[in-house]
Amino acid sequence: MEYEWKPDEQGLQQILQLLKESQSPDTTIQRTVQQKLEQLNQYPDFNNYLIFVLTKLKSEDEPTRSLSGLILKNNVKAHFQNFPNGVTDFIKSECLNNIGDSSPLIRATVGILITTIASKGELQNWPDLLPKLCSLLDSEDYNTCEGAFGALQKICEDSAEILDSDVLDRPLNIMIPKFLQFFKHSSPKIRSHAVACVNQFIISRTQALMLHIDSFIENLFALAGDEEPEVRKNVCRALVMLLEVRMDRLLPHMHNIVEYMLQRTQDQDENVALEACEFWLTLAEQPICKDVLMRHLPKLIPVLVNGMKYSDIDIILLKGDVEEDETIPDSEQDIRPRFHRSRTVAQQHDEDGIEEEDDDDDEIDDDDTISDWNLRKCSAAALDVLANVYRDELLPHILPLLKELLFHHEWVVKESGILVLGAIAEGCMQGMIPYLPELIPHLIQCLSDKKALVRSITCWTLSRYAHWVVSQPPDTYLKPLMTELLKRILDSNKRVQEAACSAFATLEEEACTELVPYLAYILDTLVFAFSKYQHKNLLILYDAIGTLADSVGHHLNKPEYIQMLMPPLIQKWNMLKDEDKDLFPLLECLSSVATALQSGFLPYCEPVYQRCVNLVQKTLAQAMLNNAQPDQYEAPDKDFMIVALDLLSGLAEGLGGNIEQLVARSNILTLMYQCMQDKMPEVRQSSFALLGDLTKACFQHVKPCIADFMPILGTNLNPEFISVCNNATWAIGEISIQMGIEMQPYIPMVLHQLVEIINRPNTPKTLLENTAITIGRLGYVCPQEVAPMLQQFIRPWCTSLRNIRDNEEKDSAFRGICTMISVNPSGVIQDFIFFCDAVASWINPKDDLRDMFCKILHGFKNQVGDENWRRFSDQFPLPLKERLAAFYGV
């Protein structure tokens, strides 16, 4: 029987009144309405009123009816399982009967309601939904067809997975061929729905679509010239996804597809152009990119370059005509959440200091306030990846354009040229070198352009060439660049300040101690910026100061520098409350400063140390409350604790033995015992780094806890969590040096995991090096326990340590290996060539270590005899042979 329900007139008026009030701009009224709506949820037929207003009350205005449907949708999301059966059935039948409402807004609202019910697991309990919607597609009435398609599109977006499973008896086998028929429909809106529906099933390689893939692609091509932007956008989106999924099917048509995408990337409609531009980004990741695009580069490059200009709308949104805004406070939503990178302990290498950490500061990110992703950014990103594919072969297509752009009289054009130059920096660096002596001075001039947007992009582009600038004599480019960049840090435009600060941080990383002569001048500027900056840029300024400290290290430890730098930092430190997230960048900055200043930080260390311990304690206490009673206490933000632990590490590293008094007077070791067992990997990672640093600084306080700490360290030797494992490994090595022979009972807790890690394929370099050092150190203090395993790790041990610089850690590790070889010489026989190679990697070992090497090499040579040694050493590469002869006389 059909469910008969009639509203009570008074109840209906009350609900209409609420719906009207909730459209009021006044937030207090909105809040009251919210509460009343929540109360009404206690009446079982409240939702009947809502569907009634949406579908039956045609006398009401559309916004009110639609709002009624959206409130119902929220109720479905929150309480659907409590709806009485009658109510559920009434809502479902009303939805299906009104999917063809004459108002587009009401149709869309009903569609949203249908997909919300469907995604609450109701596709199974509403068996006639899909067949009904599919049959409505054939309706003569446009509104019914469009409404049904709109609902289907939403269901395909929200429930793609379950549609392609056995749960529903594979409805897509019928739906997809049906959708394909509508690609040729006379209504643009319907065509657009049809393509959008099918697009949901490309990435998942849905079987039902793969069966019809040729007909799908053919139909897409037929829509290529569609007059409706939404259709063109969906066609482009489909082709981009097919690149990843069915390249085999696109290849025969690739020439035409590229030609088509070239046109679309210049589409009048920016949304279409943006979808099309994604094509180049995706294609660049495919191995065939180089061959496929080569012949199209002369056309493609100008299109991408053209897309890199600011549009008129961008300039309005960016307030591009506002040159001075430094006195205007930031709105809070402009400030992005930032992520703290926890401490990881790594070795230094012999190469020329180029770190291969992934630099995520390098992204093309110059105008973060516009809708985040737009044609300009996409074009620039595409040019960047193509530069990495073609390298210098791209330059013949770019250089002629660049000449025109970089010296153009219109600032918008010139600005885009500077962005182009920055975008190709990574891929085309080698080929650009001949032009840089002319270009860098031109760019340095552009830093004082009268347009703020030109000044800001120039900062970024120059930072992309910082590596080259630093490789030249300092007076040629580094000094003028630094001078101008420091002026830009004090620019009167906030966007320029931000770009200059970020660029300066990159320059600091590249230049390192080259900056020492200019320290006073640099600090002057950075400290002055403190008094000048609004909220958002202050956070970037902290980063520039921290990076400076990391780059110049102990050179910062001069009374006059400390006098300049510390007062403003401590003043900010005192202003911030414990709950303020601005503490993160400030604590990171202080951590770098403390490590650099070493004893120079002593006058400031006590309050800083105390506060860090308090932050850890507070966070742990809050976490315990939250674990016990989650509904009463919210979970703490553990980043406060992580950053505090990292700053304590910085203090321990900088102050060394001077931190002993502070540790003695605090409960930090108890707190660390809890942190080391935290569920969150980053907390454990930071606590193990601190453990290692305190072990080096004041072992007398750590030693009583070793029996408790070692089992925890052993269980964290799990390479699933690379950084946790890395820091735990390093800490074990530091502890063993301090414990000496007393390390013996703990070897079984850690040794077999370490040997397993060093033999794992694809282990990151840093972890391999730290593992090798720790195995060596364990062998140094307890050779009898570790030497029997020598054969199982000697080869990867030697190969992972040959590239790191001579230092204390390498020294103790090699002493360990030599001691183990003397205990178990047969363990090294098979891999002796690797040992020889590792020994040769030392530039100048200490005398007694050199004697150990000599003894082992000559011992081996005497044991095998001259003839065999000659045959053996003939396998050596020449440099190795010469080195061993020169240094060790073998």
Side-chain angles (χ1 to χ4, degrees):
M1 85 149 219
E2 191 59 23
Y3 177 70
E4 269 311 320
W5 177 85
K6 291 275 178 291
D8 163 66
E9 197 46 45
Q10 209 186 337
L12 186 59
Q13 286 315 315
Q14 192 193 344
I15 284 174
L16 284 172
Q17 182 57 36
L18 277 177
L19 291 170
K20 294 270 190 284
E21 284 176 6
S22 76
Q23 295 171 61
S24 144
D26 181 343
T27 45
T28 2
I29 296 181
Q30 283 176 11
R31 227 171 277 137
T32 335
V33 172
Q34 249 347 93
Q35 286 163 350
K36 287 190 185 156
L37 288 171
E38 269 310 312
Q39 287 159 5
L40 285 170
N41 264 315
Q42 284 141 28
Y43 298 101
D45 65 351
F46 170 47
N47 293 302
N48 284 356
Y49 282 92
L50 292 174
I51 190 81
F52 182 86
V53 174
L54 172 66
T55 59
K56 288 218 189 318
L57 204 59
K58 314 262 170 156
S59 54
E60 266 309 322
D61 62 292
E62 287 178 12
T64 302
R65 289 172 58 200
S66 169
L67 183 61
S68 182
L70 294 175
I71 292 172
L72 175 54
K73 173 209 66 162
N74 291 336
N75 287 345
V76 168
K77 267 196 160 138
H79 320 287
F80 190 66
Q81 63 287 0
N82 309 334
F83 284 20
N85 283 346
V87 174
T88 303
D89 295 339
F90 183 53
I91 293 173
K92 286 179 176 177
S93 73
E94 280 302 297
C95 282
L96 286 176
N97 294 336
N98 290 277
I99 192 70
D101 192 286
S102 58
S103 147
L105 178 62
I106 301 298
R107 290 201 298 274
T109 311
V110 172
I112 290 174
L113 191 49
I114 289 178
T115 188
T116 309
I117 295 173
S119 51
K120 289 300 268 187
E122 284 296 302
L123 268 176
Q124 296 93 303
N125 304 338
W126 195 355
D128 53 340
L129 173 63
L130 294 171
K132 178 82 171 142
L133 288 175
C134 284
S135 72
L136 290 175
L137 294 182
D138 298 322
S139 162
E140 293 296 302
D141 173 46
Y142 168 79
N143 291 338
T144 306
C145 176
E146 197 279 323
F149 237 136
L152 279 166
Q153 181 180 334
K154 295 182 182 94
I155 293 170
C156 290
E157 286 166 8
D158 296 339
S159 306
E161 267 178 48
I162 191 165
L163 287 173
D164 185 28
S165 68
D166 288 327
V167 180
L168 298 175
D169 199 24
R170 308 242 163 227
L172 292 178
N173 293 337
I174 299 159
M175 288 163 67
I176 285 183
K178 182 140 190 108
F179 295 154
L180 290 173
Q181 294 167 6
F182 285 87
F183 277 37
K184 299 193 167 67
H185 195 278
S186 59
S187 150
K189 191 102 191 340
I190 305 280
R191 295 196 297 273
S192 172
H193 281 313
V195 184
C197 282
V198 181
N199 280 359
Q200 294 306 318
F201 304 102
I202 300 177
I203 291 294
S204 57
R205 299 179 164 76
T206 301
Q207 185 61 42
L209 176 55
M210 293 302 135
L211 290 173
H212 300 280
I213 195 78
D214 292 325
S215 133
F216 174 45
I217 291 174
E218 205 175 305
N219 277 306
L220 281 175
F221 291 165
L223 292 177
D226 203 292
E227 81 273 10
E228 169 64 31
E230 199 56 29
V231 175
R232 298 198 299 272
K233 187 178 98 178
N234 284 327
V235 170
C236 291
R237 184 173 287 172
L239 290 169
V240 170
M241 292 189 282
L242 287 167
L243 268 187
E244 294 182 42
V245 175
R246 292 306 302 258
M247 178 64 93
D248 57 320
R249 283 293 187 264
L250 296 188
L251 264 180
H253 316 282
M254 207 40 131
H255 176 72
N256 294 340
I257 294 176
V258 169
E259 292 280 320
Y260 173 65
M261 284 300 194
L262 267 169
Q263 280 175 315
R264 287 291 73 86
T265 307
Q266 306 168 74
D267 201 285
Q268 291 311 296
D269 185 297
E270 156 129 19
N271 293 320
V272 179
L274 179 55
E275 279 301 333
C277 195
E278 297 279 352
F279 181 83
W280 315 114
L281 266 180
T282 306
L283 185 57
E285 291 165 4
Q286 305 291 333
I288 58 146
C289 173
K290 204 165 179 178
D291 302 337
V292 167
L293 275 187
M294 196 53 135
R295 54 193 279 205
H296 299 281
L297 287 180
K299 278 190 188 159
L300 172 59
I301 298 306
V303 170
L304 291 176
V305 166
N306 197 38
M308 289 163 73
K309 286 205 294 279
Y310 277 126
S311 67
D312 300 347
I313 245 120
D314 291 342
I315 293 169
I316 295 166
L317 288 174
L318 282 171
K319 307 193 175 59
D321 47 352
V322 178
E323 294 300 321
E324 298 195 10
D325 61 359
E326 61 171 344
T327 54
I328 303 165
D330 296 328
S331 72
E332 286 309 303
Q333 64 265 34
D334 284 349
I335 296 170
R336 289 203 175 159
R338 39 188 321 293
F339 299 102
H340 170 69
R341 256 201 239 149
S342 314
R343 265 175 110 86
T344 314
V345 187
Q347 293 299 319
Q348 295 181 307
H349 294 86
D350 267 337
E351 299 106 77
D352 49 359
I354 301 174
E355 297 198 21
E356 42 190 281
E357 278 182 57
D358 43 276
D359 260 341
D360 40 30
D361 321 328
D362 245 12
E363 307 280 294
I364 295 180
D365 183 23
D366 49 303
D367 40 37
D368 47 8
T369 40
I370 304 194
S371 68
D372 258 351
W373 189 239
N374 54 25
L375 185 60
R376 166 185 166 91
K377 286 193 177 182
C378 191
S379 306
L383 189 59
D384 185 359
V385 289
L386 288 173
N388 278 297
V389 170
Y390 289 101
R391 301 277 162 191
D392 297 341
E393 294 173 54
L394 202 62
L395 289 178
H397 306 287
I398 291 247
L399 289 170
L401 299 172
L402 266 177
K403 283 202 183 71
E404 230 168 279
L405 300 172
L406 285 171
F407 301 93
H408 204 279
H409 59 280
E410 278 180 60
W411 75 266
V412 179
V413 180
K414 174 166 148 184
E415 193 277 347
S416 70
I418 298 171
L419 173 58
V420 169
L421 190 55
I424 60 170
E426 195 187 348
C428 306
M429 182 57 89
Q430 278 318 104
M432 284 307 294
I433 287 175
Y435 305 96
L436 293 179
E438 185 186 343
L439 281 175
I440 298 294
H442 174 63
L443 286 173
I444 292 175
Q445 255 180 327
C446 293
L447 280 175
S448 40
D449 193 276
K450 60 180 191 302
K451 293 303 286 186
L453 288 171
V454 174
R455 300 198 297 277
S456 60
I457 197 64
T458 306
C459 291
W460 177 75
T461 293
L462 279 162
S463 75
R464 302 266 289 175
Y465 291 95
H467 188 72
W468 181 82
V469 166
V470 170
S471 70
Q472 305 299 302
D475 284 352
T476 332
Y477 308 106
L478 178 61
K479 204 172 166 185
L481 169 58
M482 196 183 58
T483 312
E484 283 309 308
L485 222 82
L486 289 170
K487 287 185 195 156
R488 291 295 68 83
I489 286 180
L490 302 179
D491 200 276
S492 56
N493 178 279
K494 291 194 287 191
R495 171 169 284 99
V496 180
Q497 295 171 357
E498 174 182 7
C501 252
S502 302
F504 196 70
T506 307
L507 185 63
E508 290 168 340
E509 283 173 357
E510 292 289 351
C512 291
T513 48
E514 296 278 338
L515 296 179
V516 173
Y518 317 109
L519 264 174
Y521 184 42
I522 294 171
L523 285 169
D524 240 351
T525 304
L526 297 180
V527 170
F528 188 64
F530 256 113
S531 56
K532 190 176 168 77
Y533 275 14
Q534 296 294 342
H535 186 176
K536 180 182 176 188
N537 287 349
L538 260 183
L539 308 183
I540 298 162
L541 180 61
Y542 293 141
D543 182 55
I545 291 173
T547 308
L548 179 67
D550 294 338
S551 304
V552 300
H554 64 90
H555 297 283
L556 197 55
N557 188 6
K558 291 227 173 77
E560 63 271 31
Y561 299 157
I562 298 176
Q563 236 358 80
M564 293 166 79
L565 183 57
M566 287 310 295
L569 283 175
I570 293 296
Q571 186 201 348
K572 293 286 179 203
W573 167 268
N574 290 333
M575 278 164 52
L576 291 177
K577 298 194 171 46
D578 277 354
E579 297 70 55
D580 194 328
K581 293 211 161 127
D582 286 5
L583 273 176
F584 299 166
L586 178 55
L587 286 162
E588 284 177 41
C589 169
L590 279 170
S591 178
S592 297
V593 170
T595 308
L597 290 186
Q598 298 170 346
S599 60
F601 199 78
L602 267 175
Y604 307 96
C605 66
E606 190 152 359
V608 173
Y609 179 90
Q610 243 355 92
R611 186 167 192 181
C612 287
V613 173
N614 287 346
L615 281 168
V616 175
Q617 190 147 11
K618 267 190 181 174
T619 312
L620 285 172
Q622 179 76 19
M624 283 173 74
L625 287 174
N626 166 258
N627 280 339
Q629 297 166 289
D631 36 351
Q632 300 200 344
Y633 298 97
E634 56 179 299
D637 181 342
K638 289 192 177 171
D639 280 352
F640 284 104
M641 172 156 78
I642 296 166
V643 182
L645 289 166
D646 287 347
L647 175 43
L648 287 169
S649 285
L651 286 176
E653 196 181 327
L655 298 174
N658 287 320
I659 202 172
E660 184 271 324
Q661 286 289 295
L662 295 170
V663 175
R665 294 199 297 267
S666 71
N667 60 340
I668 185 65
L669 287 153
T670 320
L671 298 174
M672 281 165 61
Y673 181 65
Q674 289 172 269
C675 292
M676 290 180 200
Q677 299 175 78
D678 198 275
K679 308 195 281 295
M680 190 174 174
E682 291 79 4
V683 176
R684 302 201 301 276
Q685 174 184 339
S686 293
S687 55
F688 294 140
L690 177 55
L691 174 59
D693 283 317
L694 288 180
T695 297
K696 289 171 80 165
C698 53
F699 189 62
Q700 68 269 45
H701 297 303
V702 178
K703 192 170 183 184
C705 312
I706 289 299
D708 294 322
F709 288 173
M710 282 308 300
I712 300 174
L713 286 163
T715 49
N716 277 280
L717 296 178
N718 168 9
E720 292 289 301
F721 301 103
I722 292 293
S723 305
V724 179
C725 182
N726 179 68
N727 289 1
T729 303
W730 174 73
I732 292 167
E734 290 298 340
I735 289 169
S736 59
I737 292 294
Q738 301 291 338
M739 293 282 282
I741 194 67
E742 291 177 66
M743 195 68 186
Q744 205 173 345
Y746 305 111
I747 303 273
M749 295 180 188
V750 299
L751 185 60
H752 70 267
Q753 295 97 304
L754 292 168
V755 173
E756 206 171 306
I757 291 167
I758 204 169
N759 282 295
R760 263 174 94 238
N762 305 328
T763 304
K765 205 167 73 179
T766 305
L767 179 55
L768 278 180
E769 291 161 359
N770 277 321
T771 305
I773 285 172
T774 293
I775 291 175
R777 290 177 148 191
L778 290 170
Y780 179 54
V781 296
C782 301
Q784 300 299 337
E785 282 67 26
V786 187
M789 313 246 329
L790 195 54
Q791 196 173 347
Q792 292 174 48
F793 61 75
I794 184 74
R795 179 185 280 196
W797 192 95
C798 292
T799 50
S800 59
L801 290 187
R802 62 187 301 271
N803 290 323
I804 69 169
R805 288 194 204 157
D806 297 7
N807 64 14
E808 279 308 311
E809 300 189 2
K810 185 170 175 175
D811 178 275
S812 56
F814 270 84
R815 286 170 195 273
I817 216 79
C818 292
T819 315
M820 288 188 275
I821 290 174
S822 60
V823 172
N824 176 17
S826 64
V828 72
I829 300 287
Q830 286 173 308
D831 297 304
F832 200 70
I833 184 166
F834 290 94
F835 176 73
C836 296
D837 177 55
V839 164
S841 77
W842 277 87
I843 311 293
N844 38 17
K846 294 185 181 151
D847 290 345
D848 56 339
L849 182 60
R850 183 193 297 254
D851 293 343
M852 290 167 106
F853 291 158
C854 248
K855 207 163 148 196
I856 292 173
L857 292 169
H858 283 281
F860 185 84
K861 182 178 172 181
N862 297 338
Q863 202 179 347
V864 297
D866 284 354
E867 186 50 42
N868 284 334
W869 173 260
R870 191 172 308 115
R871 232 180 289 154
F872 175 67
S873 59
D874 278 346
Q875 308 162 30
F876 290 0
L878 196 60
L880 174 58
K881 212 172 176 167
E882 288 171 349
R883 247 192 122 106
L884 289 177
F887 280 80
Y888 302 100
V890 290

